[in-house]
Amino acid sequence: MAVNAEFVGRTYPPSGPYAVDAAGIAAFALAVSSTDPVHTDAEAARAAGYRDVIAPPTFAVSLAQQVDRQFIADPEAGVDFSRVVHGEQKFVHHRPITAGDQVLGTLTVDSVRQAGGHTMVTTRAELATDGGEALTTSTSTIVIRGGE
Amino acid sequence: MAVRSFDEVSVGETFGPTAVPVGRETLVAYANASGDQNPIHQDEDFAKTVGLPDIIAHGMWTMGAAGSVLEQWLGDGGRIVEFGTRFTSMVVVPREGTEIVVTGTVKSLDEDTRRATVELGVTAGDTKVLGRCQAVVALA
């Protein structure tokens, strides 16, 4: 099944809100072996100028992948998830995601292209607070392996 | 932690190598924290049935662990303003666990913004596992 190229340029309505809490941030930080106390110690985070503990630099993927599901899980999109591998990932942080944030994600399908028998799909999730403050732009390229 | 100052950083400066251990319990913790429960990262039998040599680490775990090494050098993870990579090879995680090794190099400095572009080299065994792994950081 081919990925539906008609989805290129499509922007979905915002999804969420996704609640970010200190426990979730701390669990993520521990799992990626971070020792930076701004993720686990509210006092340290405040001393560094943040309102509360902040997310590690790749935490946004856990939100972006929920946002991306609107496209990936859409039968019309034609993505065979069993053949998906992650090709590229980029984050641009506008301000650190902070415990207490209620995050909305707006998904755009940036490109669908073919190379070497595989299909590459680039999606962009714009993460912002429910008040409209920009948090992170997460851009992800997945590779859907060709084959039988 | 003290935040690294622009004035103490020079182009070509390096940090690491820093080893980050990864075991299967690490991947279970990452799956639970990130929500990525793909069984190729937790179930050896499943991984082998889809043609993988063994359990492999989440690419995003590897990127996240590289980010943790960058944070140590930088002194504040909230100052990583851009972070991107390509996933070029997988990290195979056998039952006894393994490690990735992270090095960093300052590629350029921008005096106006007091920002640095840092390239991270990430290997598992002799294999480079992340390609064009670069971050822009805001120095003090």
Side-chain angles (χ1 to χ4, degrees):
Chain A
M1 191 165 63
V3 176
N4 189 344
E6 285 175 19
F7 278 69
V8 174
R10 182 176 295 197
T11 296
Y12 287 76
S15 68
Y18 307 103
V20 176
D21 64 22
I25 287 173
F28 193 99
L30 181 67
V32 295
S33 297
S34 174
T35 55
D36 188 338
V38 294
H39 308 312
T40 51
D41 178 347
E43 287 296 312
R46 280 192 278 272
Y50 306 111
R51 187 187 75 235
D52 200 337
V53 290
I54 61 165
T58 62
F59 174 89
V61 75
S62 62
L63 305 171
Q65 285 181 345
Q66 294 182 73
V67 176
D68 287 352
R69 225 164 268 161
Q70 291 173 101
F71 167 72
I72 288 171
D74 184 342
E76 295 284 310
V79 176
D80 179 354
F81 198 67
S82 72
R83 307 191 69 82
V84 166
V85 293
H86 202 168
E88 292 182 44
Q89 180 66 42
K90 177 156 192 195
F91 301 100
V92 176
H93 295 300
H94 310 293
R95 75 114 159 115
I97 295 171
T98 305
D101 283 342
Q102 297 283 337
V103 180
L104 296 174
T106 304
L107 173 66
T108 300
V109 180
D110 277 345
S111 71
V112 174
R113 58 193 195 279
Q114 309 290 329
H118 308 301
T119 307
M120 264 87 83
V121 179
T122 300
T123 54
R124 173 167 42 93
E126 296 286 356
L127 304 179
T129 66
D130 56 354
E133 187 182 1
L135 295 170
T136 296
T137 304
S138 171
T139 307
S140 174
T141 299
I142 58 170
V143 181
I144 300 114
R145 291 175 293 141
E148 62 271 32
Chain B
M1 294 199 291
V3 177
R4 194 164 292 271
S5 163
F6 184 87
D7 303 321
E8 63 180 310
V9 173
S10 52
V11 172
E13 175 176 340
T14 62
F15 54 92
T18 302
V20 184
V22 51
R24 292 182 172 180
E25 70 289 351
T26 317
L27 300 183
V28 172
Y30 184 78
N32 291 335
S34 69
D36 183 345
Q37 298 285 354
N38 188 328
I40 62 173
H41 307 303
Q42 298 189 46
D43 182 335
E44 182 178 327
D45 292 338
F46 182 87
K48 288 177 175 169
T49 60
V50 295
L52 295 167
D54 206 327
I55 284 177
I56 62 167
H58 306 72
M60 285 307 306
W61 176 83
T62 305
M63 185 185 187
S68 296
V69 173
L70 176 60
E71 287 181 335
Q72 281 176 29
W73 175 80
L74 180 60
D76 176 357
R79 288 173 169 268
I80 298 172
V81 290
E82 293 184 27
F83 192 20
T85 195
R86 291 182 176 177
F87 302 99
T88 52
S89 287
M90 54 197 173
V91 176
V92 176
V93 181
R95 221 164 279 170
E96 65 274 19
T98 186
E99 64 181 25
I100 61 166
V101 176
V102 181
T103 57
T105 306
V106 177
K107 302 301 281 187
S108 64
L109 290 167
D110 183 332
E111 203 163 354
D112 293 338
T113 58
R114 294 179 80 81
R115 288 180 174 186
T117 299
V118 177
E119 178 141 342
L120 297 170
V122 183
T123 56
D126 294 327
T127 305
K128 186 177 171 184
V129 293
L130 298 182
R132 290 175 60 174
C133 184
Q134 289 203 342
V136 175
V137 300
L139 299 161

